[in-house]
Amino acid sequence: MRLSKLFGKTLRETPSEATTVSHQLLLKAGMIHQVAAGVYSYLPLAWRALRKIENIIREEMDAAGGQELMMPALQPVELWQETGRDQAFGKGLFTLFDRRERKLCLGPTHEEVITELVRYNVQSYRDLPLLLYHIQTKFRDEPRPRAGLIRVREFTMKDLYSFDTDEKGLGQSYNKMLQAYQNIYARCGLPTLLVEADSGAIGGKDSHEFMVITESGEDEVIYCPSCKYTANTDKAESIKSKIEGGEPLPLEEVSTPGATTIEKVSDFLKVPPSHTLKAVFYFADGKVVFVIIRGDLEVNEVKLKNILHCFELRLATEPEVIEAGIVAGSASPIGITGIKVVADNSITSGVNFVAGANKPDTHFRNVNYPRDFSVDLMADIARASAGEGCPRCGGKLSSIHGIEVGHIFKLGTFISETLRALFIDANGASHPIVMGSYGIGLGRLLAAAIEQNHDDKGIIWPLPIAPYHIYLCPLHLENPQVAATSENLYADFETQGLEVLFDDREESPGVKFNDADLLGIPIRVTISPRTLEKDSVEIKWRSQKESQLMPLAGITATLKELSLANPR
Ligand SMILES: [Zn+2]
């Protein structure tokens, strides 16, 4: 490809609207263009990189026994109503009406559509197991599209679904996919971390995410350096410290004028926040829920949502709290009625806590559970943090940031049961098919590759997913020998099947090198009057500082070898 003809312009300045590195570099390199919030066009270079990722994924899915098919983005909402997942996805589901006023949605995922398809095609255990996938466009109405290709509303995803007769079969399909995913990331040149994850709106049981570790990542991963326990913060558990407090003492009412937050109460009464109980109010499917947790901890809303089995969860507003008869700032679980109380199990980690009295400017000392109050539900609903104890080995937990680039789930039978996707076993008995679901967002993988591989000058593509392998960079094209040699080399590279971007523009060396660095093509081949004096070209890997001269004779064969190997 001649750079002079390439569609897409590089920019001199970093676009101010972009806050993450991959977003900045993709815009600056002229590789993507925003159409609407979270909706992008891919220009030729980014599209080539995406197609390479797609090919690697397809090859690994096929190698694992997957069969490719294609399902539609446009789906009847009835199918989603049958499984109840229209509610679970809530406003994230894009819906629309056709001319007959039938409600449709744009698929955020395809469990319903594929289960309906499999119900129609599978009758017997002899038809199973099955691994079916497609690579297709998904739609999710993200509340806050951002970070370029990382959080978008329309994206290409590879989603594979496994269908087995039993849990054992599901385990085998799951492990096959786990291995296939590890192969995909390795082939893309992207080290990832396997992390225990929450199943979210997809539902189901076991679930893992693959994380590309990068400081700019929006996901936090909790891990234990001793036993390698690794989980994302939505899911992570931890052992909270025990609070020493001696024997339970009698309840004592104290005046706390103006102390309406844990910080103020703890200052005023001279007790650490860990010796207080904090009340937090949520609004879950239309009802106020009273959540009580130790004062030094934070509520993990994903865990809370899971134990409440609710569709919509948010913090309650002040009027909602007041209407529920609660005194905000001095809210108490003691004597509360007519409202669901959910406790984090940290309230049992000590004695003689300070808690609200449900009277303005008043708190209780020596609050003890279950002596002084009862709860409707108790579970681990706290956010795990670095420094706390590992739930597996008791070691000290650490945390790092990453970008989720793949998610696999053991779904079990809840979708096949509701949609009546059944099979007949060898004895003639009918059972629901046991399912798994496995997704990779292609654009996000591309963005994560840039987050992990760049410097202050631009992108450093891992060779297997680079749009082109070679950046042919002649300097001083007004020199007839440079012009002729570079044209000959370009023709030879093309004939030999090398993937080459030819910078045939009459620009200064500075401009050419800057663009070469920005675009991040792995191997730069420079031809100048100086290199030609030595019958050589200069070879420089984008990922390395040093360059070297190589003889012009036989350079095509040398480059062919280099572009097949990966130095990283
Ligand atoms: Zn551990």
Side-chain angles (χ1 to χ4, degrees), residues 224 226-227 229 390 392-395:
C224 172
S226 323
C227 74
Y229 169 70
C390 168
R392 301 273 162 84
C393 78

Side-chain angles (χ1 to χ4, degrees), residues 305-320:
K305 199 172 170 186
N306 286 346
I307 67 152
L308 286 173
H309 301 290
C310 63
F311 293 123
E312 257 198 292
L313 182 77
R314 59 169 172 80
L315 283 168
T317 62
E318 210 176 315
E320 284 164 354

Side-chain angles (χ1 to χ4, degrees), residues 286-300:
K287 283 190 180 138
V288 173
V289 175
F290 188 124
V291 174
I292 186 123
I293 186 168
R294 214 171 73 191
D296 60 327
L297 303 174
E298 297 299 326
V299 176
N300 176 328

